[in-house]
Amino acid sequence: MDIQKKELSVTMPVSRINSSVIVDSDAIVNDSKPDLLKIVHIDPTVKISKAEVLNGKMMITGQIHYKVLYQPENASGVCGLCWTADFSHMEENPDYEEGMNCNVSADVEHLEPELINSRKIKIKAVINLDLNVNAYRSVMLPLSVDGDNLQTKICDFNTVSSFLQKRDIITLNESLYLSAGKPNIGSLLKSDVTLCNKDVKVISGKVIIKGEVIVCNLYVPETSEGIDYCSHSIPFTEILDAEGLTEDHLCSVKTEIEENDFSLATDADGDIRVINANIRLGVKISADQPINE
């Protein structure tokens, strides 16, 4: 019996698990802000900064960014407080080998805030981690079998090979001006950033990403104890290099907001009516190449 075989590179799942990590952190109210009476709202955001597979284990590091709104003790209105807590997690598995590919997604599953005193907050967070580890392997597939008194069945299937795995960053720096009729800004309370209307086009060696970032800012006016808000749209078009990529590849482009930072500035008249926005978008480009044989 004669068997003809062909070597094929495949991606094989090694593990797909769900895990969690508990993060305890404290925040001290800045000297420039009033004492804290009651927590009104907490907005947590998780960012994975590094996920690496080593022999027998996977190491994950990241941060939780907190935006807290609170009621001051001896003043009216609402104040804002921001801080970041670092965390790390190790997952052990004897099947893990250095160089394997890992994908990690994270979200906050539970929060337990505690008011220690008028200047200190303690928050216990439970982060849910979705971990997928894959390995690249070579397998030998039979193509044909020759011999006496044999019955064979041939099955055709389409295969693809991984062509490109790339991460990139899009940075948006914009000065956002208040519209006429809006009061001057005393202090920023909370900023929400949303990515929408995304459109992706692949051309020879390039990936063109178009989209729109919507920024909504909640703030305390300069001469009022109330709360006001403003919203802005930031359209963008970015051309990213992707060597060798063509329209024939099976391409997937995922874009997400990684970081954002906002600061106040004055306009030409010296009034605080400008918000400087620095927004970082993370882009993950994955492309497969069909194998036609």
Side-chain angles (χ1 to χ4, degrees), residues 183-187 219-226:
N184 294 348
I185 302 173
S187 62
Y219 70 93
V220 176
E222 187 178 40
T223 58
S224 171
E225 295 180 349

Side-chain angles (χ1 to χ4, degrees), residues 47-88:
K47 177 191 174 185
I48 301 299
S49 56
K50 186 177 182 180
E52 182 180 19
V53 179
L54 304 173
N55 290 327
K57 60 185 177 181
M58 176 167 54
M59 302 297 299
I60 301 166
T61 57
Q63 303 86 33
I64 308 181
H65 301 281
Y66 290 110
K67 299 176 183 177
V68 178
L69 300 183
Y70 71 89
Q71 179 182 346
E73 188 173 51
N74 297 313
S76 58
V78 177
C79 294
L81 178 65
C82 299
W83 83 94
T84 299
D86 297 323
F87 69 88
S88 61

Side-chain angles (χ1 to χ4, degrees), residues 22 37 65 155 165 212:
I22 298 176
L37 176 63
H65 301 281
C155 178
Q165 297 285 333
E212 183 180 13

Side-chain angles (χ1 to χ4, degrees), residues 22-163:
I22 298 176
V23 182
D24 291 314
S25 62
D26 299 333
I28 305 298
V29 178
N30 297 335
D31 292 338
S32 60
K33 294 183 179 293
D35 288 350
L36 188 152
L37 176 63
K38 180 181 178 181
I39 298 174
V40 177
H41 177 74
I42 300 176
D43 184 15
T45 304
V46 184
K47 177 191 174 185
I48 301 299
S49 56
K50 186 177 182 180
E52 182 180 19
V53 179
L54 304 173
N55 290 327
K57 60 185 177 181
M58 176 167 54
M59 302 297 299
I60 301 166
T61 57
Q63 303 86 33
I64 308 181
H65 301 281
Y66 290 110
K67 299 176 183 177
V68 178
L69 300 183
Y70 71 89
Q71 179 182 346
E73 188 173 51
N74 297 313
S76 58
V78 177
C79 294
L81 178 65
C82 299
W83 83 94
T84 299
D86 297 323
F87 69 88
S88 61
H89 179 71
M90 182 180 72
E91 198 72 36
E92 294 185 309
N93 188 318
D95 295 330
Y96 289 165
E97 298 176 3
E98 187 171 352
M100 286 183 173
N101 177 263
C102 61
N103 293 307
V104 181
S105 59
D107 57 75
V108 177
E109 184 177 295
H110 180 68
L111 284 179
E112 289 185 12
E114 181 182 356
L115 184 59
I116 303 300
N117 55 51
S118 62
R119 306 299 297 177
K120 186 176 181 180
I121 303 173
K122 180 181 180 67
I123 294 184
K124 178 180 180 180
V126 179
I127 300 176
N128 180 63
L129 299 174
D130 189 19
L131 314 172
N132 294 325
V133 178
N134 301 303
Y136 298 108
R137 294 284 188 261
S138 294
V139 297
M140 300 298 295
L141 294 182
L143 298 181
S144 63
V145 181
D146 295 327
D148 297 331
N149 300 320
L150 293 177
Q151 292 184 347
T152 63
K153 182 177 180 180
I154 298 176
C155 178
D156 294 329
F157 59 93
N158 297 321
T159 60
V160 297
S161 64
S162 178
F163 174 77

